[in-house]
Amino acid sequence: MKKQHVLNCQFSSWYNQFKEITIKSRIIDLPQEFLDYLHADGLVLPDSCDETFDRHDLEGDSDDEVVWDDDTRVAKAPSFPQFEAQIKSSIVKLGGKVFPKLNWSSPKDAAWIIHDNTLRCTCPRDVYLLLKSSDFVTHDLTQPFDQCDDHTEGDQLTIQYQLVLREWHSVHPGLEFRCFVKNKKLIAVCQRHHASYYAFIHTDRDDIISDIQTFYWQRINERFPDSNYVFDVYRKKKGKVYLVDFNPFGAVTDSLMFDWEELSIDSNTTSESPIFRYVESEMGVQPAPYHTSGVPQDFIHLASGEDPYKLVDFLKLKIQQQNDEDDNTSD
Ligand SMILES: Nc1ncnc2c1ncn2[C@@H]1O[C@H](COP(=O)(O)OP(=O)(O)O)[C@@H](O)[C@H]1O
Ligand SMILES: [Mg+2]
């Protein structure tokens, strides 16, 4: 895989071209201060996200990025007023609820930190918290080209990092599929969330595969610049397929119900219709993903107090959520 393949899958590289068949989105360039904030250890939310918080009890944590005010010993939270205003206005323009991601990845390993275990954001604070808590986001920031045979150290410094906010949709996970294209041929399709069994997939299998093939030939093939790539779709109903994302054809992308060796065989020897894999019974259900990525790490930080700011912000967030819920139930 080459760097150019990864670059072609960046959200901003394909969005304009495929606008009419994908979810409405807005792209905001990340200012350097915000990039520095994402790279820094610890999780202090910007001031505007909450009232100032007195951190007298947190002395002794000398090697993190928080700047202490000499007189008051209050941690100075970062502030990005212009960037924050852009996020707020994008959220409004996208209907009040958004799904966030960076150039390639969403913080799906960090969903546990938000109210309802989803990536639904309604304010900049939600966005910051998710981005700061995700290993996938860190991967985008630090080693987006790690699987490329032409990459050299520091290549990521040339990237214009961006925050992508997408209109929020309650996506039914059983209606999402991952599609593998090799030498411009759709060779394989599988269930995107293979930790679950959906009986209707077997019943509708012929229609699903025929809708995806039509979508590929009419809307994707010839318009995407590469010969090998992976795209994700949402088949909302019969005859209605939407594009969700493009991903590089290689180990950085989860091959889900296939393995990369079998996908790399000569595509001329495969049959005309793609191989379609889905979970065929309750017995085929696998453990849910991300149990071994973001969640334990963050819980370890919370539990050990190794990252006291994360703990403080997490507790504040939980109190805020509790208050919001109390307000809602008393309505
Ligand atoms: N606009 C959206 N609203 C709600 N959920 C979404 C939206 N876009 C994507 N998702 C959900 O998040 C998952 C990951 O989205 P995707 O953009 O493919 O991120 P990644 O590239 O990090 O996997 C999708 O499988 C889908 O279930
Ligand atoms: Mg993706």
Side-chain angles (χ1 to χ4, degrees), residues 194-205:
H194 60 305
S196 305
Y197 165 63
Y198 303 101
F200 63 82
I201 297 186
H202 183 72
T203 318
D204 297 348
R205 68 182 309 281

Side-chain angles (χ1 to χ4, degrees), residues 101 104-106 108 178 192 232 245-248 253:
K101 65 189 294 184
W104 295 275
S105 305
S106 67
K108 56 193 177 189
R178 176 154 283 183
R192 173 91 192 259
D232 298 315
D245 198 17
F246 282 105
N247 310 279
T253 300

Side-chain angles (χ1 to χ4, degrees), residues 30-278:
L30 295 190
Q32 187 57 45
E33 313 84 80
F34 189 73
L35 265 177
D36 295 343
Y37 166 70
L38 288 182
H39 278 288
D41 292 337
L43 205 173
V44 178
L45 291 175
D47 255 348
S48 52
C49 292
D50 215 330
E51 304 81 35
T52 327
F53 193 78
D54 190 327
R55 297 182 193 274
H56 284 295
D57 297 332
L58 302 176
E59 281 179 50
D61 226 285
S62 54
D63 58 357
D64 55 36
E65 297 292 323
V66 180
V67 185
W68 294 94
D69 184 299
D70 275 340
D71 296 321
T72 59
R73 311 283 292 165
V74 171
K76 267 191 192 151
S79 145
F80 325 100
Q82 203 189 341
F83 178 57
E84 196 154 309
Q86 287 176 290
I87 299 180
K88 282 184 179 158
S89 86
S90 296
I91 292 178
V92 170
K93 292 210 169 82
L94 293 169
K97 289 177 276 180
V98 298
F99 172 92
K101 65 189 294 184
L102 289 198
N103 301 40
W104 295 275
S105 305
S106 67
K108 56 193 177 189
D109 54 329
W112 64 276
I113 207 164
I114 289 275
H115 356 259
D116 52 357
N117 252 314
T118 71
L119 298 191
R120 190 179 58 196
C121 297
T122 54
C123 64
R125 181 186 65 173
D126 296 342
V127 176
Y128 301 153
L129 197 57
L130 284 168
L131 297 182
K132 281 290 285 180
S133 309
S134 166
D135 291 344
F136 294 144
V137 164
T138 303
H139 182 271
D140 272 18
L141 292 173
T142 57
Q143 41 188 339
F145 302 120
D146 65 343
Q147 303 284 334
C148 300
D149 40 31
D150 59 345
H151 103 282
T152 48
E153 213 173 305
D155 276 340
Q156 76 278 9
L157 299 174
T158 59
I159 293 172
Q160 170 62 63
Y161 277 102
Q162 288 156 331
L163 171 66
V164 175
L165 297 177
R166 315 200 71 185
E167 191 174 66
W168 179 263
H169 287 271
S170 302
V171 176
H172 184 311
L175 302 177
E176 290 187 82
F177 300 92
R178 176 154 283 183
C179 312
F180 301 84
V181 177
K182 175 100 192 296
N183 293 333
K184 294 202 168 277
K185 188 165 156 187
L186 180 62
I187 57 163
V189 174
C190 71
Q191 209 175 306
R192 173 91 192 259
H193 302 277
H194 60 305
S196 305
Y197 165 63
Y198 303 101
F200 63 82
I201 297 186
H202 183 72
T203 318
D204 297 348
R205 68 182 309 281
D206 294 342
D207 285 344
I208 293 173
I209 210 71
S210 122
D211 278 353
I212 291 177
Q213 274 181 298
T214 307
F215 181 75
Y216 170 68
W217 287 113
Q218 292 181 348
R219 306 300 204 116
I220 307 287
N221 179 45
E222 300 305 336
R223 292 172 75 196
F224 194 75
D226 292 324
S227 302
N228 300 342
Y229 55 95
V230 177
F231 66 99
D232 298 315
V233 296
Y234 180 55
R235 181 180 177 264
K236 195 170 181 186
K237 56 185 177 194
K238 196 167 183 302
K240 273 269 171 235
V241 179
Y242 296 92
L243 173 67
V244 176
D245 198 17
F246 282 105
N247 310 279
F249 190 94
V252 274
T253 300
D254 192 339
S255 53
L256 302 175
M257 303 183 78
F258 297 93
D259 59 54
W260 278 112
E261 280 100 85
E262 70 179 310
L263 292 168
S264 304
I265 51 164
D266 182 359
S267 55
N268 291 324
T269 63
T270 55
S271 71
E272 273 318 299
S273 50
I275 309 170
F276 184 26
R277 273 190 203 156
Y278 51 93

